Amino acid sequence: MSFELPDLPYSQDALEPHITANTLSFHHGKHHQAYVTNLNNLLGDTAGSSQEDLEAVIKDSAGNADKAGIFNNAAQVWNHTFYWKSMKAGGGGEPSGDLADKINATWGSLDKFKEEFKAAGIGQFGSGWAWLVVEGGDLKIVKTLNADTPIAHGQTPLMTCDVWEHAYYLDFQNRRPDYLQTFLDSLVNWDFAAENLANA
Ligand code: MN3
């Protein structure tokens, strides 16, 4: 068995003009694929194939210096699959229902949430991820370095934005703040986040 690159949940040009097909062809077809290939090479015959197998590999290797390569590649496979689902064509707008209520209760308004999420993404020095997670029933904004992932820390991710330069450089060059603003205004898939909250 081996892990496989999941298809994008939309066509490569679905997120244009915000994120171009050119970016997704490299980000999904090259970067995400490389993490899958590296992980299979590192695990050899012990590689699994399901989402549950992948999460078990991440939890087993987290914090283990001898398994840093396995952790980094497994977590990046998981993080990217989750990131694709965190966006959709015609995304952005406002969440509804329980998610909207919890965002308002936690940050006071959607605008304030967006401001703090954007600040987390900008404030992640170097490469990493900005996340909306739920932990112990509370919504939180967290950022992780490099491949690190909330599922290794007992948190349930609701949605994420990849802030590695490869995620935005072809479309936004060095303008990470503009990429984050576009993600929040025009791409984020609130239905996916609400579904993850309902299942948390
Ligand atoms: Mn990436």
Side-chain angles (χ1 to χ4, degrees), residues 99-109:
L99 177 59
D101 292 346
K102 281 193 156 64
I103 286 175
N104 287 328
T106 307
W107 289 282
S109 67

Side-chain angles (χ1 to χ4, degrees), residues 12-26:
Q12 275 191 354
D13 62 1
L15 305 183
E16 292 192 347
H18 310 296
I19 291 180
T20 56
N22 192 30
T23 287
L24 287 186
S25 72
F26 282 96

Side-chain angles (χ1 to χ4, degrees), residues 40-179:
N40 285 325
N41 288 339
L42 286 165
L43 293 174
D45 291 343
T46 67
S49 57
S50 70
Q51 183 78 356
E52 291 72 24
D53 293 337
L54 181 62
E55 292 178 7
V57 169
I58 290 168
K59 286 168 185 169
D60 172 69
S61 58
N64 183 337
D66 294 337
K67 293 184 176 177
I70 291 171
F71 176 81
N72 286 335
N73 284 286
Q76 284 292 75
V77 171
W78 195 97
N79 291 347
H80 281 88
T81 301
F82 194 82
Y83 168 62
W84 309 134
K85 294 177 183 173
S86 295
M87 300 184 287
K88 66 174 184 180
E94 296 185 3
S96 59
D98 189 35
L99 177 59
D101 292 346
K102 281 193 156 64
I103 286 175
N104 287 328
T106 307
W107 289 282
S109 67
L110 179 64
D111 282 347
K112 185 66 179 161
F113 162 79
K114 286 165 74 170
E115 196 179 297
E116 294 201 11
F117 187 91
K118 186 177 168 184
I122 294 169
Q124 176 54 57
F125 187 80
S127 295
W129 301 81
W131 306 81
L132 173 62
V133 305
V134 60
E135 181 175 29
D138 296 327
L139 294 193
K140 295 177 182 175
I141 294 167
V142 298
K143 53 189 179 180
T144 60
L145 177 66
N146 295 332
D148 199 13
T149 182
I151 69 167
H153 303 285
Q155 298 165 330
T156 301
L158 303 186
M159 62 85 166
T160 191
C161 185
D162 185 345
V163 297
W164 286 57
E165 279 191 348
H166 67 221
Y168 60 87
Y169 210 86
L170 294 176
D171 298 326
F172 295 87
Q173 293 75 51
N174 60 316
R175 294 177 285 114
R176 189 191 289 191
D178 291 354
Y179 160 66

